[in-house]
Amino acid sequence: MAEREGRYTAATVLAVANQKGGVGKTTTSVSLAASLAELGLRVLLVDFDPQGNASSGLGLRAHPGQASVYDVLVDAVPVEQAVVPTSQPGLDLIRATIDLAGAEVELVSAFSREHKLRRALDAARDQYDAIIIDCPPSLGLLTVNAMTAADGVVVPIQCEYFALEGLGALRRNVDLIREQLNPNLEMTGFVLTMLDARTRLSQQVVDEVRSHFGDRVFKARIPRTVRLAEAPGFGQPITQFDPSSRGAMAYRRLAQEVVERLDRRANDQQRDTEQGAVA
């Protein structure tokens, strides 16, 4: 990888996670990564779901013989050998294949198995401003690896009746990983997805989520739209597939909020470094 001029000295790693399926997790991972790249950040998207939907959603499904995240995780293949550029300038991808489904079994007896992804990504941090990990819809070893590698967790929440179901288990896992594996892990924020503003239920869910999580809920709300559902079939993020659509604009607003939080984090780190130097 070539040296680059970045917004930050090292990447912030964000795991996009929710053990519930169908909440817009992969759409959020792909669209947020593409929107951050549009803002001028250098972004790496790691497809960490054996279904490989983030890879196919960018038109880059891996073929036999091509390095994937499985090779990085299990065979210690260097990250740079698995990185491929996407059609969005500034956005790179590490693809996933179905082989990743067997990684949890293969890593059971591995030494320091929870830190495999972290060690692999540490070598790429100075090449990017943000690394986004699209987690599988589970709380298994793959998700534990992602959270151990991450600085923060972004949680998509679908605006439906059982929106908060399962979030208690997710938060407990985050707390356990913070206590035992990654003391710097933070809950970065919650993203409200698949919002239908015409229904009273959606507004009730919005109010309930905000009452539980307050300022950790991003202001940007992702609408339920046909164009967002169609974009993966064309192998493009929504920001390219239909740049002026409601979905594209919503993810751009989300990306701007994420950048603001990354800026605050970078400023806090700089202040701590300066105070440490004075002390």
Side-chain angles (χ1 to χ4, degrees):
M1 296 181 211
E3 292 297 320
R4 55 93 189 175
E5 290 294 328
R7 185 183 183 105
Y8 311 112
T9 56
T12 296
V13 181
L14 298 176
V16 181
N18 191 327
Q19 72 269 31
K20 290 184 67 177
V23 299
K25 178 181 55 60
T26 296
T27 297
T28 295
S29 298
V30 171
S31 304
L32 174 59
S35 298
L36 289 172
E38 268 193 351
L39 291 173
L41 274 66
R42 190 84 168 90
V43 184
L44 175 63
L45 175 61
V46 181
D47 187 351
F48 213 49
D49 187 339
Q51 298 176 84
N53 289 336
S55 302
S56 58
L58 288 169
L60 291 168
R61 185 172 286 278
H63 299 292
Q66 295 176 327
S68 70
V69 73
Y70 170 86
D71 302 296
V72 172
L73 191 69
V74 175
D75 297 327
V77 169
V79 163
E80 60 265 25
Q81 294 184 24
V83 168
V84 294
T86 72
S87 59
Q88 170 62 54
L91 175 60
D92 291 341
L93 171 71
I94 298 180
R95 296 169 290 193
T97 66
I98 193 62
D99 292 340
L100 189 59
E104 296 202 48
V105 176
E106 294 179 59
L107 292 176
V108 164
S109 60
F111 174 74
S112 193
R113 60 187 181 180
E114 298 90 353
H115 294 270
K116 291 282 189 179
L117 184 63
R118 182 182 188 91
R119 285 196 292 269
L121 293 182
D122 278 349
R125 277 188 181 244
D126 62 351
Q127 299 295 323
Y128 296 96
D129 296 304
I131 298 176
I132 308 296
I133 306 173
D134 181 33
C135 297
S138 73
L139 294 178
L141 183 56
L142 291 179
T143 299
V144 170
N145 253 270
M147 290 186 182
T148 303
D151 301 299
V153 182
V154 174
V155 184
I157 301 178
Q158 183 181 359
C159 292
E160 49 111 55
Y161 186 73
F162 295 109
L164 298 179
E165 188 178 74
L167 288 184
L170 177 63
R171 295 190 72 184
R172 284 193 296 274
N173 263 37
V174 170
D175 290 341
L176 284 172
I177 290 168
R178 186 187 299 117
E179 291 170 8
Q180 300 180 14
L181 298 167
N182 181 7
N184 297 320
L185 184 64
E186 300 176 350
M187 189 68 79
T188 301
F190 298 84
V191 185
L192 292 161
T193 64
M194 302 183 187
L195 175 72
D196 186 346
R198 300 169 300 177
T199 67
R200 181 178 299 177
L201 173 61
S202 286
Q203 188 55 53
Q204 289 174 341
V205 172
V206 170
D207 293 342
E208 186 175 11
V209 172
R210 289 199 181 281
S211 70
H212 275 78
F213 304 118
D215 292 340
R216 288 187 178 179
V217 182
F218 289 103
K219 294 177 183 177
R221 303 174 186 177
I222 312 303
R224 182 188 294 275
T225 72
V226 173
R227 301 302 274 172
L228 272 173
E230 290 176 339
F234 290 84
Q236 293 180 316
I238 187 63
T239 49
Q240 288 184 333
F241 178 65
D242 193 346
S244 61
S245 65
R246 290 188 298 133
M249 299 304 291
Y251 274 113
R252 289 191 182 103
R253 289 192 294 271
L254 174 62
Q256 188 59 58
E257 288 189 69
V258 169
V259 167
E260 291 170 2
R261 297 189 187 198
L262 296 185
D263 284 346
R264 287 199 297 270
R265 181 175 183 272
N267 290 337
D268 289 344
Q269 289 177 333
Q270 179 65 27
R271 185 177 61 251
D272 291 343
T273 299
E274 291 173 353
Q275 290 175 346
V278 170

